[in-house]
Amino acid sequence: MRKEYRIAKGWEIFIWICLPLFMALLGWLGIMPYTEEQFNLTLALILTPISIGLELLMVLGLLDTRKSKLVIENDRIINVGVFKTRVLDFKNIKGFKVDQNYLYYFPINENDKKIKVTTYVGKFEELRTWSEQKFKNLDIEEYVNEEKEILENVEYGRTHEEREYKLARAKKTTKIINTISWIVALSTWFYPHFYQVQILLCGILPIIGLIIYKTSNGLIRLDEKPKSAHPNILSTLFIPSCALMIRALMDFTIFDYSNFWKPAIVIFFVFGLLVLKGSKVEYNLKKGVTYLAILGMLMFGGMYTYGLLITTNVVFDESQPTVYKAVVLDKHTSSGKTTTYYLKLSEWGPQKEIDDVSVARDIYESKEIGDSAIVYFNNGLYKIPYYIVIE
């Protein structure tokens, strides 16, 4: 018996068409800072390394599409990769797991490397059915064992019935709050027409999520795998925070960040303590994935901190703006998934340098070079000054 599984033909064609196009786009992004009239060193230091790194990843992706395959023989599995070939005998396979992207074969010896094959191979369902007939489904086994541990853990209740009730309630609670978080975050991102309420909800939901997490006594987790018996509340923390950060970056121009850092450090520090200190979850610091999980949660803390401070600093600012007049020296757009409109303005008020300012499309289209522009300069709720070009 010998059976080979390669990436499905349709996906292979799609990859060979799309990746070169993305590579061309990335190449353009990498050289874009050097083609601007005014060389932007900061932009070059950010975009060029990212562009080169992603180009290399895409080259590896093309090589992987061309060469990689899974071979099943009478008594072993062979995984052929770009740089390495791995072999696992059937007798040495503990079982398999499946997620959205990969099917994994785990060895009995934990020191050996697992084999993974993408779910985008041709006849994947055939491969999955064969795996179910041949090996243990470790996802099911681990879920059953984990649920059994929960229902036997006296920290979650004095009786078996009480623990069952708390687990069911935790699953229902996290499902509801995660769904609400997705709805609020997506509406804030794509339809910000109830701005103050949406920003307020995006700020409150992660706090509610942290409270639910901390009061669950370890029953509810932040970073569990999707098929875990423990309910997961990561979406409530992460998705509204993304929406806050996106709105902060897209909607507001901050004049000076001097007063941003002190409250930002305090909020970030408090978040870190709430997530990491006193947690019932034991972090295995011997595994690299643990550090990635912690890093991911700290990144969420950074997004939440920035988004919350900047959006609320503007949205709930009731101070009277100072009005300045500037001259439009030039105008241009920047196109990607969305188009951003810029006016190059002369010096105005405290702004002592010529600078590009992003504006709404209608303002951009109404202005010509030489026209005047009105700038509203605000102190901000937290004394983080910002400005808006309105006409």
Side-chain angles (χ1 to χ4, degrees), residues 248-267:
L249 291 172
M250 291 179 62
D251 298 346
F252 310 119
T253 304
I254 302 301
F255 180 77
D256 183 7
Y257 281 93
S258 299
N259 293 328
F260 167 82
W261 298 108
K262 285 184 180 179
I265 290 170
V266 171
I267 294 173

Side-chain angles (χ1 to χ4, degrees), residues 107-166:
I108 294 173
N109 185 348
E110 293 183 357
N111 293 324
D112 293 337
K113 296 287 186 179
K114 65 178 177 287
I115 283 178
K116 69 177 182 180
V117 55
T118 177
T119 54
Y120 298 106
V121 297
K123 298 183 180 180
F124 175 75
E125 287 304 319
E126 175 187 282
L127 177 62
R128 180 172 182 163
T129 300
W130 175 83
S131 300
E132 289 172 345
Q133 295 171 348
K134 195 74 177 179
F135 307 111
K136 284 184 182 179
N137 188 325
L138 298 179
D139 283 321
I140 296 174
E141 186 177 271
E142 288 182 5
Y143 183 93
V144 171
N145 291 337
E146 197 171 44
E147 187 174 58
K148 183 179 178 182
E149 288 178 6
I150 292 172
L151 296 177
E152 290 177 353
N153 191 334
V154 294
E155 291 188 2
Y156 302 140
R158 290 175 295 178
T159 65
H160 187 273
E161 290 74 19
E162 184 180 353
R163 294 190 286 271
E164 272 189 332
Y165 170 75
K166 284 189 175 181

Side-chain angles (χ1 to χ4, degrees), residues 80-214:
V80 180
V82 176
F83 301 112
K84 188 178 290 187
T85 296
R86 290 198 176 103
V87 179
L88 267 180
D89 293 336
F90 290 170
K91 63 182 180 181
N92 294 327
I93 295 177
K94 179 181 179 181
F96 75 96
K97 292 182 181 181
V98 183
D99 61 24
Q100 291 182 338
N101 299 309
Y102 293 101
L103 185 152
Y104 304 88
Y105 296 100
F106 289 85
I108 294 173
N109 185 348
E110 293 183 357
N111 293 324
D112 293 337
K113 296 287 186 179
K114 65 178 177 287
I115 283 178
K116 69 177 182 180
V117 55
T118 177
T119 54
Y120 298 106
V121 297
K123 298 183 180 180
F124 175 75
E125 287 304 319
E126 175 187 282
L127 177 62
R128 180 172 182 163
T129 300
W130 175 83
S131 300
E132 289 172 345
Q133 295 171 348
K134 195 74 177 179
F135 307 111
K136 284 184 182 179
N137 188 325
L138 298 179
D139 283 321
I140 296 174
E141 186 177 271
E142 288 182 5
Y143 183 93
V144 171
N145 291 337
E146 197 171 44
E147 187 174 58
K148 183 179 178 182
E149 288 178 6
I150 292 172
L151 296 177
E152 290 177 353
N153 191 334
V154 294
E155 291 188 2
Y156 302 140
R158 290 175 295 178
T159 65
H160 187 273
E161 290 74 19
E162 184 180 353
R163 294 190 286 271
E164 272 189 332
Y165 170 75
K166 284 189 175 181
L167 178 59
R169 186 180 63 181
K171 289 181 178 180
K172 184 177 181 180
T173 300
T174 54
K175 184 177 181 179
I176 292 172
I177 194 72
N178 285 338
T179 301
I180 292 172
S181 296
W182 272 101
I183 294 171
V184 169
L186 291 176
S187 69
T188 303
W189 190 348
F190 295 108
Y191 194 79
H193 290 267
F194 306 95
Y195 211 91
Q196 286 190 335
V197 174
Q198 290 169 310
I199 293 299
L200 193 61
L201 287 174
C202 282
I204 290 173
L205 282 167
I207 296 173
I208 295 173
L210 277 176
I211 292 172
I212 292 173
Y213 164 67
K214 296 298 288 186

